[in-house]
């Protein structure tokens, strides 16, 4: 009879079969890939939607929809045989299906006539007034005037518009190669900021230099909102500067719109004139399909008073002259 000697633990470890299995397990642990750790920034980056996704989501917002309607008007006008103006960048804002099947909007003619009027007045006044190098545009965020108009050399262009719309539009414009004239400077001021006057100053605007102002497509929600903007313009615009634009009629319940505008503008130092769409159409040889426009009113206003910067400059000069006079009189005594 053969007796087998039981293996003690140390002997078990010494056995060849156990050694092989232990080495195998050890090699597996060494070859296994290390655990992957994702930084928090990577997770946040994955959650950030692309421009295309953001654009599609944003199209449901009223400010985006309104800006897209205006862009479609400009595109349709550009594609006409004899267009009032050409906007080479309007198409970049619109989805392909919109470009192929544009709905005719009853106010399209009025919008295009106003666009032509504002374009011409901006360039005419900018070239006529010596030293006019500041242009402020209150827009819907998809305004292409900074890119498509022939601005004088060294013009500073300020766009005041909804920030979200402007960001989307700016990326699309860059995607099609749109560029501001090399000799000009371009700044954006989000209309959501409370103190637009201070923001403009921080970007380099000066009330001691001539300027021209335009307003078209800016999403105004109330009469008080427009009054606040007009007050800021009044504080910054030099004497004899101009404000041109379209004002939506739904922001006020005034029965006599013309009288209300005249009083409001005059209280802010402006003499205003309402411009009829029929008058513009006649001057351009355009036949209006709908002569009455109940949605907007077109106007041009001239500043009669002096800007706050002008008044402050003169106050300092007057104070200096008085101090010099006092010193001279004291020396004579």
């Amino acid at each position: 009879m053969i007796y087998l000697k039981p293996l003690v633990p140390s002997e078990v470890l010494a056995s060849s079969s156990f050694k092989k299995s232990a080495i195998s397990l050890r090699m597996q642990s060494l070859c296994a890939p290390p655990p992957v750790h994702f930084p928090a920034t990577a997770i946040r980056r994955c959650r950030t939607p692309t421009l295309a996704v953001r654009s599609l989501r944003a199209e449901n917002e009223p400010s985006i929809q309104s800006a897209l309607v205006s862009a479609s008007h400009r595109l349709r006008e550009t594609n006409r045989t004899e267009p009032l103006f050409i906007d080479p960048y309007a198409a970049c804002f619109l989805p392909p299906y919109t470009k192929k099947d544009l709905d005719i909007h009853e106010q399209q003619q009025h919008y295009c006539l106003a666009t032509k009027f504002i374009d011409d007045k901006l360039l005419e006044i900018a070239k006529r007034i010596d030293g006019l190098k500041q242009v402020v545009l209150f827009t819907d965020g998809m305004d292409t005037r900074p890119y498509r108009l022939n601005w004088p050399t060294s013009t500073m262009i300020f766009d005041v518009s909804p920030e979200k719309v402007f960001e989307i539009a700016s990326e699309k414009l860059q995607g099609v190669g749109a560029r501001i004239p090399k000799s000009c400077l371009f700044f954006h001021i989000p209309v959501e900021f409370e103190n637009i006057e201070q923001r403009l100053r921080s970007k380099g605007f000066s009330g001691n230099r001539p300027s021209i102002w335009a307003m078209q497509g800016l999403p105004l929600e109330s009469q008080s909102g427009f009054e606040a903007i007009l007050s800021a313009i009044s504080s910054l615009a030099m004497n004899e500067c101009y404000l041109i634009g379209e004002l939506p009629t739904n922001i006020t319940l005034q029965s006599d719109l013309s009288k209300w505008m005249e009083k409001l503008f005059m209280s802010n130092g402006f003499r205003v004139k309402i411009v009829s769409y029929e008058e513009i159409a006649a001057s351009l040889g355009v036949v209006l399909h709908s002569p009455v426009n109940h949605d907007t009113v077109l106007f041009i206003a001239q500043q009669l008073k002096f800007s706050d910067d002008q008044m402050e400059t003169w106050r300092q000069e007057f104070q200096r002259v008085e101090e010099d006079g006092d010193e001279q009189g004291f020396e004579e005594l």
Side-chain angles (χ1 to χ4, degrees):
M1 182 179 295
I2 301 174
Y3 294 96
L4 296 176
K5 181 181 177 182
L7 296 174
V8 296
S10 59
E11 292 174 330
V12 172
L13 291 175
S15 66
S16 61
S17 61
F18 192 86
K19 284 183 179 180
K20 290 180 180 179
S21 61
I23 293 173
S24 176
L25 291 174
R26 178 60 178 168
M27 291 299 295
Q28 289 179 12
S29 64
L30 291 174
C31 295
V36 179
H37 300 283
F38 293 97
T41 54
I43 298 176
R44 286 197 298 269
R45 191 179 301 114
C46 293
R47 292 176 181 174
T48 303
T50 63
L51 172 61
V53 173
R54 286 191 287 119
S55 300
L56 290 174
R57 290 177 181 175
E59 283 184 16
N60 296 323
E61 298 184 12
S63 59
I64 294 284
Q65 290 178 340
S66 177
L68 288 175
V69 168
S70 297
S72 69
H73 291 342
R74 298 197 302 274
L75 177 59
R76 179 176 286 276
E77 184 64 32
T78 298
N79 291 334
R80 288 177 63 243
T81 305
E82 297 181 356
L84 297 174
F85 58 85
I86 295 177
D87 186 346
Y89 307 112
C92 76
F93 303 127
L94 304 170
Y97 64 84
T98 310
K99 301 172 193 174
K100 296 177 182 178
D101 186 22
L102 292 174
D103 294 330
I104 297 178
H105 195 274
E106 62 178 359
Q107 298 300 333
Q108 177 185 330
Q109 265 195 317
H110 297 102
Y111 172 84
C112 291
L113 286 170
T115 300
K116 172 65 174 176
F117 176 77
I118 295 172
D119 285 357
D120 290 349
K121 284 297 180 183
L122 281 171
L123 294 180
E124 173 197 332
I125 296 172
K127 293 175 181 177
R128 174 163 52 88
I129 299 180
D130 292 336
L132 200 163
K133 301 294 184 182
Q134 299 181 124
V135 178
V136 185
L137 307 172
F138 289 85
T139 75
D140 56 17
M142 292 187 181
D143 192 279
T144 57
R145 288 186 176 96
Y147 302 90
R148 63 182 176 82
L149 294 187
N150 186 22
W151 298 107
T153 304
S154 303
T155 298
M156 298 175 67
I157 308 169
F158 303 87
D159 180 284
V160 184
S161 61
E163 186 172 19
K164 184 179 294 185
V165 185
F166 178 83
E167 288 179 352
I168 294 174
S170 181
E171 290 191 39
K172 288 182 178 293
L173 285 165
Q174 290 180 12
V176 296
R179 296 290 183 270
I180 302 296
K182 291 182 179 179
S183 60
C184 299
L185 298 175
F186 182 65
F187 306 93
H188 178 248
I189 310 292
V191 74
E192 294 85 358
F193 288 162
E194 293 182 359
N195 197 332
I196 294 177
E197 181 180 344
Q198 182 180 352
R199 293 287 179 174
L200 283 168
R201 292 181 189 277
S202 68
K203 297 294 184 179
F205 184 93
S206 172
N208 278 320
R209 297 196 297 267
S211 59
I212 187 169
W213 307 68
M215 180 181 296
Q216 188 181 30
L218 182 71
L220 294 167
E221 298 180 354
S222 65
Q223 177 179 323
S224 60
F226 174 69
E227 291 174 352
I229 290 176
L230 186 60
S231 176
I233 297 174
S234 175
S235 298
L236 292 170
M238 274 183 63
N239 178 245
E240 297 187 357
C241 289
Y242 285 87
L243 167 62
I244 314 154
E246 269 191 315
L247 182 65
T249 57
N250 62 359
I251 65 169
T252 180
L253 299 176
Q254 299 290 334
S255 57
D256 192 337
L257 187 62
S258 177
K259 187 176 181 180
W260 169 73
M261 286 185 63
E262 183 178 351
K263 183 178 179 180
L264 175 62
F265 275 76
M266 185 56 70
S267 66
N268 285 277
F270 285 96
R271 179 175 57 231
V272 66
K273 174 189 175 184
I274 294 179
V275 182
S276 68
Y277 294 91
E278 296 91 332
E279 178 184 343
I280 303 173
S283 67
L284 296 171
V286 176
V287 178
L288 278 177
H289 301 300
S290 176
V292 180
N293 182 8
H294 298 289
D295 293 340
T296 56
V297 57
L298 184 62
F299 67 88
I300 180 169
Q302 185 180 23
Q303 174 71 292
L304 302 179
K305 73 179 190 67
F306 299 102
S307 69
D308 291 353
D309 286 351
Q310 284 181 297
M311 295 298 294
E312 177 61 21
T313 299
W314 288 333
R315 187 195 66 79
Q316 293 178 3
E317 181 64 18
F318 181 74
Q319 183 178 358
R320 184 189 66 79
V321 170
E322 277 194 328
E323 291 174 353
D324 291 345
D326 291 343
E327 291 178 1
Q328 184 178 359
F330 180 78
E331 290 175 358
E332 291 177 356
L333 292 175

